[in-house]
Structure formats: structure tokens, C-alpha cells
Amino acid sequence: MQHRSPEFAEINPMRKVPAIMHADFKLFESHAILVYLASAFPGVADHWYPADVHKRAKIHSVLDWHHSNLRRGSVEYLFNTLVAPEFGLPLDQKAADVGEKLLSASLAMIESYWLEGDGPFLLGNSQPSIADLALVCEIMQLEVADEKDRDRILVGHTRILKWIEDTKNVTAPYFDEIHSVMPLIKENLAELKAKQANNEGK
């Protein structure tokens, strides 16, 4: 994989995605990249990362919460139900259950708090910000899970499902383009999981 190559390590020594190069400037970590892209180009609409310091602070509160809650739960759940075999590790249902509990609590917080307000986007905004991009993309990772598991986790979260659809519509056609790889990832992970189960059964 490209991100494990020596060339990629020159951009991100941790050899993880995402990472970018803009001219000779190198940057990694998704939230930092979003902030940079929204700030470095004068044509970017203000609603993505407002100049108002109070609005920016609110966006950063969402992003900081994201890392220790939604992302942590999502990663722990998906890694221990699907991704572990990619790294030669066994699946761990107990760890997956812990991750799902945090993931479900995080979704409930988005539904009841972060999506409060008159607008359809996070913080009650009428237009999306980089926080919407970060959190929606995190939830979209569930597309690689089994459909019944994804539906079980998202059941009842009607505001979240509408918010995802609103974000998709406002970022079309790029949203579908970015996530078009998800079916292939899902297929590959399912094959690895089946292969591991077959090996364990021998």
C-alpha cells in the first residue's frame, strides 16, 4: 500500500492517511488538513471555517469531541469486527462490543446535542462546516460493515440520517466520488474475515 512506502513516510512518518503536500508544505491528521485547506485558499466559502472566532471555537469543540468519542468508538468497533485480519490479528468481539457502546453513545449525542438548532447541520448551522465533513465521513465508515449491523447501529437516528443526506447533497458530486471505494473495501474485508474463520476452523 502506498501509505506504507518510504516515499509516503517523507510526508507522514507514521505512514498513515490522510496526508497532503501543498507545494513543499507537508501536513497530516485529518482535522489539521481540513483547517488548512479551508484557510489556505481565498475562494473557500466562510461557512466551512468561519472567520468569526466564536464560531471557529465551536467547530473545534466538535472536532475535539469527535476524536475521543465518535472516532474512538467507530474505530474500535470496525477494527475488531472486520479490520483486524488485515493486520494479521484475530477479531475480538468483547472489544467490538465496547467500541459499539461508545459509538452508540456518540451517535445519541450527535442526535440530541450537536444537531440541535434550527439549521440542518451541526451546531444548528444553516450551512455545513468542516466539522460536518469530519463527522459524516466517520459515520460513513459503517458502510463497510454488514448491512444488518449498520442498520442496527443507526436505527432510530432519523436526524443523523437526514443530516448525512443533506451533507451529501450539498457536497455533490464529490461525496459519492470519495465514498465510491467503500463497496470494494467492504468486499475485501469480508474476504479476509471469511479466510480467517476458515483457517481457525481447520
Side-chain angles (χ1 to χ4, degrees):
M1 296 183 180
Q2 184 183 17
H3 66 279
R4 297 178 184 174
S5 68
E7 292 79 12
F8 193 90
E10 292 294 317
I11 304 173
N12 183 356
M14 270 69 78
R15 302 190 182 194
K16 293 183 178 181
V17 292
I20 63 169
M21 280 191 67
H22 181 213
D24 60 350
F25 179 64
K26 303 171 184 177
L27 186 65
F28 52 91
E29 291 297 334
S30 58
H31 293 169
I33 291 170
L34 285 170
V35 169
Y36 176 75
L37 293 176
S39 304
F41 300 94
V44 175
D46 184 72
H47 65 82
W48 290 112
Y49 190 57
D52 182 284
V53 66
H54 293 155
K55 292 180 179 179
R56 281 195 177 188
K58 288 286 189 180
I59 287 172
H60 279 282
S61 71
V62 178
L63 295 176
D64 288 351
W65 174 87
H66 171 211
H67 265 312
S68 56
N69 292 275
L70 180 65
R71 173 164 291 176
R72 184 174 149 211
S74 172
V75 168
E76 192 164 1
Y77 172 73
L78 290 173
F79 185 86
N80 288 292
T81 55
L82 287 169
V83 181
E86 171 73 20
F87 296 87
L89 298 171
L91 299 175
D92 186 336
Q93 188 58 51
K94 185 176 180 180
D97 290 343
V98 172
E100 183 177 343
K101 184 177 180 180
L102 179 56
L103 174 58
S104 295
S106 299
L107 292 171
M109 180 62 73
I110 294 172
E111 185 95 12
S112 64
Y113 181 72
W114 295 119
L115 283 173
E116 274 192 330
D118 297 330
F121 299 102
L122 295 175
L123 302 169
N125 291 330
S126 60
Q127 294 178 297
S129 72
I130 60 172
D132 292 274
L133 297 181
L135 272 64
V136 164
C137 285
E138 191 70 57
I139 296 171
M140 285 297 295
Q141 305 306 306
L142 292 173
E143 291 294 319
V144 304
D146 187 278
E147 189 173 343
K148 63 178 176 58
D149 291 327
R150 176 187 178 276
D151 291 346
R152 173 176 52 78
I153 291 170
L154 292 176
V155 68
H157 292 300
T158 54
R159 294 180 75 178
I160 287 178
L161 294 173
K162 183 181 183 303
W163 162 59
I164 292 173
E165 192 64 24
D166 288 338
T167 304
K168 175 181 177 179
N169 290 337
V170 82
T171 56
Y174 308 109
F175 189 98
D176 285 335
E177 180 181 334
I178 289 170
H179 293 97
S180 63
V181 70
M182 302 301 282
L184 179 59
I185 295 174
K186 180 177 181 177
E187 181 181 341
N188 290 341
L189 290 174
E191 289 177 359
L192 282 170
K193 184 176 181 179
K195 183 178 180 180
Q196 184 182 77
N198 184 54
N199 290 338
E200 289 174 353
K202 290 181 179 179

Coordinates of all heavy atoms in Angstrom, one line a residue, residues 15-55:
R15 N 3.2 7.0 8.7 CA 2.7 6.2 7.5 C 1.2 5.9 7.6 O 0.8 4.8 7.3 CB 3.5 4.9 7.4 CG 5.0 5.1 7.2 CD 5.8 3.9 6.8 NE 7.2 4.2 6.8 CZ 8.1 3.4 6.2 NH1 7.7 2.3 5.7 NH2 9.4 3.7 6.2
K16 N 0.5 6.9 7.9 CA -1.0 6.8 8.0 C -1.6 7.8 7.1 O -1.0 8.9 6.8 CB -1.5 6.9 9.4 CG -1.1 5.8 10.3 CD -1.7 6.0 11.7 CE -1.3 4.8 12.6 NZ -1.9 4.9 14.0
V17 N -2.8 7.5 6.6 CA -3.6 8.5 5.9 C -4.7 9.1 6.8 O -5.1 8.5 7.8 CB -4.3 7.8 4.7 CG1 -3.3 7.4 3.7 CG2 -5.2 6.7 5.1
P18 N -5.0 10.4 6.5 CA -4.6 11.2 5.3 C -3.4 12.0 5.6 O -3.0 12.2 6.7 CB -5.8 12.1 5.1 CG -6.3 12.4 6.5 CD -6.1 11.1 7.2
A19 N -2.8 12.4 4.5 CA -1.6 13.3 4.5 C -1.6 14.0 3.2 O -2.0 13.5 2.1 CB -0.3 12.5 4.7
I20 N -1.1 15.3 3.2 CA -1.1 16.1 1.9 C 0.3 16.8 1.8 O 1.0 16.9 2.7 CB -2.2 17.1 1.9 CG1 -2.0 18.2 3.0 CG2 -3.6 16.5 2.0 CD1 -2.9 19.4 2.9
M21 N 0.5 17.1 0.5 CA 1.6 18.1 0.2 C 1.0 19.2 -0.6 O 0.4 19.0 -1.6 CB 2.7 17.3 -0.6 CG 3.7 16.5 0.3 SD 5.1 16.0 -0.7 CE 5.9 17.5 -1.0
H22 N 1.3 20.4 -0.2 CA 0.9 21.6 -0.9 C 2.2 22.4 -1.2 O 2.7 23.0 -0.3 CB -0.1 22.4 -0.1 CG -0.6 23.6 -0.8 ND1 -0.9 24.8 -0.2 CD2 -0.8 23.9 -2.2 CE1 -1.3 25.7 -1.1 NE2 -1.3 25.2 -2.3
A23 N 2.6 22.3 -2.4 CA 4.0 22.8 -2.8 C 5.0 22.0 -1.9 O 5.0 20.8 -2.0 CB 4.1 24.3 -2.5
D24 N 5.7 22.7 -1.1 CA 6.7 22.0 -0.2 C 6.2 21.8 1.2 O 7.0 21.4 2.1 CB 8.1 22.7 -0.3 CG 8.0 24.1 0.3 OD1 6.9 24.6 0.5 OD2 9.1 24.7 0.5
F25 N 4.9 22.1 1.4 CA 4.4 22.0 2.8 C 3.7 20.7 3.0 O 2.9 20.3 2.2 CB 3.3 23.1 3.0 CG 2.6 23.1 4.3 CD1 3.4 23.3 5.5 CD2 1.3 22.9 4.4 CE1 2.7 23.3 6.7 CE2 0.6 22.8 5.7 CZ 1.4 23.1 6.8
K26 N 4.1 20.0 4.0 CA 3.6 18.6 4.3 C 2.8 18.7 5.6 O 3.1 19.4 6.6 CB 4.8 17.7 4.5 CG 5.7 17.6 3.3 CD 7.0 16.8 3.7 CE 8.0 16.8 2.5 NZ 9.2 16.1 2.9
L27 N 1.7 18.0 5.5 CA 0.7 18.0 6.7 C 0.0 16.7 6.8 O -0.4 16.1 5.8 CB -0.3 19.2 6.5 CG -1.2 19.4 7.7 CD1 -0.4 19.9 8.9 CD2 -2.2 20.5 7.3
F28 N -0.2 16.2 8.0 CA -1.0 15.0 8.2 C -2.0 15.3 9.4 O -1.8 16.3 10.1 CB -0.2 13.8 8.4 CG 0.9 13.9 9.5 CD1 0.6 13.5 10.8 CD2 2.2 14.3 9.1 CE1 1.6 13.6 11.8 CE2 3.2 14.4 10.1 CZ 2.9 14.1 11.4
E29 N -2.9 14.4 9.6 CA -4.0 14.4 10.6 C -5.2 15.1 9.9 O -5.1 16.3 9.4 CB -3.7 15.1 11.9 CG -2.7 14.3 12.8 CD -3.3 12.9 13.2 OE1 -4.5 12.8 13.3 OE2 -2.5 12.0 13.5
S30 N -6.3 14.4 9.9 CA -7.5 14.9 9.1 C -8.0 16.3 9.5 O -8.3 17.1 8.6 CB -8.6 13.9 9.2 OG -9.0 13.6 10.5
H31 N -8.1 16.5 10.8 CA -8.7 17.8 11.2 C -7.7 19.0 10.8 O -8.2 20.0 10.4 CB -8.9 17.8 12.7 CG -10.1 16.9 13.1 ND1 -10.3 16.6 14.4 CD2 -11.0 16.2 12.4 CE1 -11.3 15.7 14.5 NE2 -11.7 15.5 13.3
A32 N -6.4 18.7 11.0 CA -5.5 19.8 10.7 C -5.5 20.1 9.2 O -5.4 21.2 8.7 CB -4.1 19.3 11.1
I33 N -5.7 19.0 8.4 CA -5.8 19.2 6.9 C -7.0 20.0 6.5 O -7.0 20.9 5.7 CB -5.8 17.8 6.2 CG1 -4.4 17.2 6.4 CG2 -6.1 17.9 4.7 CD1 -4.3 15.7 5.9
L34 N -8.2 19.6 7.2 CA -9.4 20.4 6.9 C -9.2 21.9 7.2 O -9.7 22.7 6.4 CB -10.6 19.8 7.7 CG -11.1 18.4 7.2 CD1 -12.1 17.8 8.2 CD2 -11.8 18.6 5.8
V35 N -8.7 22.2 8.4 CA -8.5 23.6 8.8 C -7.5 24.3 7.8 O -7.8 25.4 7.4 CB -7.9 23.6 10.2 CG1 -7.4 25.0 10.5 CG2 -8.9 23.2 11.2
Y36 N -6.5 23.6 7.4 CA -5.5 24.2 6.5 C -6.2 24.5 5.1 O -6.1 25.6 4.6 CB -4.3 23.3 6.3 CG -3.3 23.8 5.2 CD1 -2.5 24.9 5.6 CD2 -3.3 23.3 4.0 CE1 -1.6 25.4 4.6 CE2 -2.4 23.8 3.0 CZ -1.6 24.8 3.3 OH -0.7 25.3 2.4
L37 N -6.9 23.5 4.6 CA -7.5 23.7 3.2 C -8.5 24.8 3.2 O -8.7 25.5 2.3 CB -8.1 22.4 2.8 CG -7.1 21.2 2.5 CD1 -7.9 19.9 2.1 CD2 -6.2 21.6 1.3
A38 N -9.3 24.9 4.4 CA -10.3 25.9 4.4 C -9.7 27.3 4.6 O -10.4 28.3 4.4 CB -11.3 25.6 5.6
S39 N -8.4 27.3 5.1 CA -7.8 28.6 5.4 C -6.8 29.1 4.3 O -6.6 30.3 4.2 CB -7.0 28.5 6.7 OG -7.8 28.1 7.8
A40 N -6.3 28.2 3.6 CA -5.2 28.5 2.7 C -5.6 29.0 1.3 O -4.9 29.6 0.6 CB -4.3 27.3 2.5
F41 N -6.9 28.8 1.0 CA -7.4 29.2 -0.3 C -8.5 30.2 -0.2 O -9.5 30.0 0.5 CB -7.9 28.0 -1.1 CG -6.9 26.9 -1.3 CD1 -6.7 25.9 -0.4 CD2 -6.0 27.0 -2.3 CE1 -5.8 24.9 -0.5 CE2 -5.0 26.0 -2.5 CZ -4.9 25.0 -1.6
P42 N -8.3 31.4 -0.7 CA -9.2 32.5 -0.5 C -10.6 32.3 -1.1 O -11.6 33.0 -0.6 CB -8.5 33.7 -1.2 CG -7.6 33.1 -2.2 CD -7.1 31.8 -1.6
G43 N -10.8 31.4 -2.0 CA -12.1 31.2 -2.6 C -13.0 30.3 -1.8 O -14.2 30.1 -2.1
V44 N -12.5 29.7 -0.7 CA -13.3 28.8 0.2 C -14.4 29.6 0.9 O -14.1 30.6 1.6 CB -12.5 28.0 1.2 CG1 -13.3 27.2 2.1 CG2 -11.5 27.1 0.4
A45 N -15.6 29.2 0.8 CA -16.7 29.9 1.5 C -16.5 29.9 3.0 O -16.1 28.9 3.6 CB -18.1 29.2 1.2
D46 N -16.9 31.0 3.6 CA -16.7 31.2 5.0 C -17.3 30.2 5.9 O -16.8 29.9 7.0 CB -17.1 32.7 5.4 CG -16.8 33.0 6.9 OD1 -15.6 33.2 7.2 OD2 -17.8 33.0 7.7
H47 N -18.5 29.7 5.5 CA -19.2 28.7 6.4 C -18.4 27.5 6.7 O -18.7 26.8 7.7 CB -20.6 28.4 5.8 CG -20.6 27.6 4.5 ND1 -20.4 26.3 4.4 CD2 -20.7 28.1 3.2 CE1 -20.4 25.9 3.2 NE2 -20.6 26.9 2.4
W48 N -17.5 27.1 5.8 CA -16.7 25.9 6.1 C -15.8 26.0 7.3 O -15.7 25.1 8.1 CB -15.8 25.5 4.9 CG -16.6 25.1 3.7 CD1 -16.8 25.7 2.5 CD2 -17.4 23.8 3.6 NE1 -17.6 25.0 1.7 CE2 -18.0 23.8 2.3 CE3 -17.6 22.8 4.5 CZ2 -18.8 22.8 1.9 CZ3 -18.4 21.7 4.1 CH2 -19.0 21.7 2.8
Y49 N -15.2 27.2 7.5 CA -14.4 27.5 8.7 C -14.4 29.0 8.9 O -13.6 29.8 8.4 CB -12.9 27.0 8.4 CG -12.0 27.0 9.6 CD1 -12.4 26.3 10.7 CD2 -10.8 27.7 9.6 CE1 -11.5 26.3 11.8 CE2 -10.0 27.7 10.7 CZ -10.3 27.0 11.8 OH -9.5 27.0 12.9
P50 N -15.5 29.5 9.6 CA -15.7 30.9 9.7 C -14.6 31.7 10.3 O -13.9 31.3 11.1 CB -17.0 30.9 10.6 CG -17.6 29.6 10.5 CD -16.4 28.6 10.3
A51 N -14.5 33.0 9.8 CA -13.6 33.9 10.4 C -13.9 34.3 11.8 O -13.0 34.6 12.6 CB -13.5 35.2 9.5
D52 N -15.2 34.3 12.1 CA -15.6 34.6 13.5 C -15.0 33.7 14.5 O -15.2 32.4 14.4 CB -17.1 34.5 13.6 CG -17.7 34.9 14.9 OD1 -17.6 34.1 15.9 OD2 -18.2 36.1 15.0
V53 N -14.3 34.2 15.5 CA -13.5 33.4 16.4 C -14.4 32.5 17.3 O -14.1 31.4 17.6 CB -12.6 34.2 17.3 CG1 -13.4 35.1 18.2 CG2 -11.6 33.4 18.1
H54 N -15.6 33.0 17.6 CA -16.5 32.2 18.4 C -17.1 31.0 17.6 O -17.2 29.9 18.1 CB -17.7 33.1 18.9 CG -17.3 34.1 19.9 ND1 -17.9 35.3 20.1 CD2 -16.2 34.1 20.7 CE1 -17.3 36.0 21.0 NE2 -16.3 35.3 21.4
K55 N -17.4 31.2 16.4 CA -17.9 30.1 15.5 C -16.8 29.1 15.3 O -17.0 27.9 15.3 CB -18.4 30.7 14.2 CG -19.6 31.5 14.3 CD -20.1 32.0 13.0 CE -21.4 32.9 13.1 NZ -21.9 33.4 11.8

